[in-house]
Amino acid sequence: MATRRKLLFMSVATATALALGACGATAEKNDGGSGGEDGPATGLRIMVPNTPGGGYDTTARTAAKVMEDARIATGVQVFNLPGAGGTVGLQRTVNEKGNGKLAMQMGLGVVGASYTSKSSATLTQTTPLAKLIEEAGAIVVPKDSPYKTIADLVAAWKANPRGIAVGGGSSPGGPDHLLPMQLAKTVGIDPRQVNFVSYDGGGELLPAVLGGKVAFGASGFGEFLDQVEAGQIRVLAVTSEAPIGALKDVPTLKSSGIDLVFTNWRGIVAPPGISDADKKVWIDALTKMHESDGWKAELAKRGWTDAFITGDQFATFLTEQDKSVAALLTQLGLA
């Protein structure tokens, strides 16, 4: 009888352990890989709230690959759930309360979209994990554009603001919207006259620029590097303080006589209510990724600026961003 009770106890304990292991992200015991003291993390999934090919998508897939290659995590799944400037994915993230396996790639664009789309879900409801990078914007045109310099474009734009369409890979209130609005204001164009065409991520913006559906595009420069190298797109200017290494011959707006500097940022958040253990698995994995040679190589390759902060520090940053964006969009009548 005692033996039967012992076997029953062992079966229940085993089943309980298996059930608990299936509920959240885990870190395997060290098997000699470089995943850290507890081994590589498993079961991680990163949602991209925009279409494939955009900045969020590129960042998430790059992070996943670096974690896989360095044995920081194994089997990382990246999937896309586009819509409404990222707020469809945001709503899904908030709805997945307690799901420690899931995280969402996001950035400044989702902050703005949560207000302009009147989303019931907000980023302040999520669990902030890490801010990863900052990236300068770029003003781009297709290879056969009549605008050879930023001065050419600005002159034509000032002469006919409504007739020069600008495309951006974010909803109104996002970085690709704020950039041309600030550029217009800086060069003396009333932002209310700007003909802005919104696309759901860089994956949709790129063919619009290549196909001449817009006169120029405004987005993170990293979204266009492959097309720049292939000679399909020309970058007229970047919005950073200093020239970008990946685009050595491209002037900044400031060096072109336009007094504007603009940077975007990207980070990762998890659903609300995840366990402290799951939060630690994510932050540890992302921290090891940030410290890896693979990630440093990707930063250099893509021209991303390292802006890594985690946990409470990122939560404070996110709260400040939320307040400032909300205030700006309210002034513009968009929130």
Side-chain angles (χ1 to χ4, degrees), residues 108-169:
L108 179 58
V110 179
V111 178
S114 68
Y115 285 99
T116 57
S117 66
K118 313 299 182 186
S119 172
S120 60
T122 68
L123 283 165
T124 55
Q125 294 174 279
T126 66
T127 302
L129 296 176
K131 177 185 173 188
L132 301 179
I133 62 167
E134 290 180 349
E135 182 183 39
I139 305 302
V140 302
V141 295
K143 63 179 181 180
D144 56 354
S145 170
Y147 311 119
K148 306 302 182 185
T149 67
I150 189 66
D152 293 342
L153 173 61
V154 168
W157 198 21
K158 292 176 72 172
N160 186 13
R162 296 187 186 278
I164 303 292
V166 51

Side-chain angles (χ1 to χ4, degrees), residues 24-182:
T26 59
E28 297 174 353
K29 290 299 181 183
N30 195 349
D31 59 359
S34 59
E37 186 177 343
D38 293 325
T42 61
L44 305 184
R45 303 176 73 226
I46 304 175
M47 178 204 304
V48 176
N50 289 119
T51 52
Y56 291 164
D57 189 68
T58 300
T59 306
R61 294 184 190 279
T62 299
K65 184 178 186 304
V66 170
M67 286 193 284
E68 291 272 5
D69 290 349
R71 290 282 296 165
I72 295 164
T74 59
V76 182
Q77 180 188 1
V78 178
F79 67 100
N80 299 78
L81 185 63
T87 57
V88 170
L90 175 60
Q91 185 67 65
R92 163 76 178 275
T93 302
V94 171
N95 289 348
E96 292 276 350
K97 182 177 181 179
N99 183 354
K101 294 182 179 181
L102 180 69
M104 182 180 75
Q105 179 70 62
M106 48 72 72
L108 179 58
V110 179
V111 178
S114 68
Y115 285 99
T116 57
S117 66
K118 313 299 182 186
S119 172
S120 60
T122 68
L123 283 165
T124 55
Q125 294 174 279
T126 66
T127 302
L129 296 176
K131 177 185 173 188
L132 301 179
I133 62 167
E134 290 180 349
E135 182 183 39
I139 305 302
V140 302
V141 295
K143 63 179 181 180
D144 56 354
S145 170
Y147 311 119
K148 306 302 182 185
T149 67
I150 189 66
D152 293 342
L153 173 61
V154 168
W157 198 21
K158 292 176 72 172
N160 186 13
R162 296 187 186 278
I164 303 292
V166 51
S170 63
S171 299
D176 291 5
H177 172 250
L178 295 176
L179 170 53
M181 295 302 162
Q182 291 190 16

Side-chain angles (χ1 to χ4, degrees), residues 135-137 221 238-244 252-254 260-263:
E135 182 183 39
F221 75 87
V238 290
T239 67
S240 51
E241 184 76 42
I244 300 294
T252 64
L253 289 174
K254 289 193 74 172
L260 177 64
V261 173
F262 181 94
T263 56

Side-chain angles (χ1 to χ4, degrees), residues 164-247:
I164 303 292
V166 51
S170 63
S171 299
D176 291 5
H177 172 250
L178 295 176
L179 170 53
M181 295 302 162
Q182 291 190 16
L183 177 59
K185 185 177 180 180
T186 303
V187 300
I189 297 171
D190 183 346
R192 292 172 296 182
Q193 293 187 325
V194 174
N195 180 6
F196 177 76
V197 183
S198 175
Y199 294 92
D200 197 2
E204 289 189 4
L205 172 62
L206 181 59
V209 174
L210 290 173
K213 293 182 179 179
V214 292
F216 69 102
S219 191
F221 75 87
E223 313 223 9
F224 307 107
L225 282 178
D226 289 344
Q227 288 70 35
V228 172
E229 292 175 0
Q232 297 175 312
I233 277 182
R234 186 164 61 252
V235 183
L236 300 184
V238 290
T239 67
S240 51
E241 184 76 42
I244 300 294
L247 298 168

